[in-house]
Amino acid sequence: MKPYRARAVKEPRAVLAEFGTVIPDDVEVRVSDSTSMIRYLVLPQRPKGTEGFTEEQLAGLVTRDAMIGVVRAGNPEKEKAR
């Protein structure tokens, strides 16, 4: 296993924190490593305030980092404030 992947398995909170994502202590973190037979899909959590968004609007909030599970999908309220 590559050093980064091994570290992500052993210290997921520390690795995520390096991306700027701090997971609260009351949130369970599970790490599942893919194999040649199993692949995992990360589904970003829907941001608050997006209930009426179209598929295109939602897609605009999702970044590469959100798809690999190291940050949450964009927050539309923060985007409006900019």
Side-chain angles (χ1 to χ4, degrees):
M1 187 180 297
K2 294 181 180 179
Y4 171 80
R5 287 178 58 190
R7 191 163 161 260
V9 170
K10 291 176 85 173
E11 306 176 292
R13 289 178 192 276
V15 172
L16 289 170
E18 291 170 12
F19 282 91
T21 301
V22 177
I23 306 295
D25 290 337
D26 64 339
V27 174
E28 180 181 0
V29 176
R30 294 183 189 180
V31 178
S32 299
D33 198 10
S34 56
T35 68
S36 61
M37 299 297 290
I38 298 173
R39 295 285 178 236
Y40 294 93
L41 174 65
V42 175
L43 299 175
Q45 184 178 22
R46 182 185 202 122
K48 291 179 183 175
T50 62
E51 291 75 17
F53 277 36
T54 65
E55 184 176 338
E56 291 79 21
Q57 289 172 307
L58 288 170
L61 299 175
V62 179
T63 64
R64 179 194 72 87
D65 286 351
M67 290 303 296
I68 64 171
V70 297
V71 300
R72 291 181 181 235
N75 181 327
E77 298 305 316
K78 287 182 182 177
E79 297 301 320
K80 287 180 193 174
R82 289 184 182 179

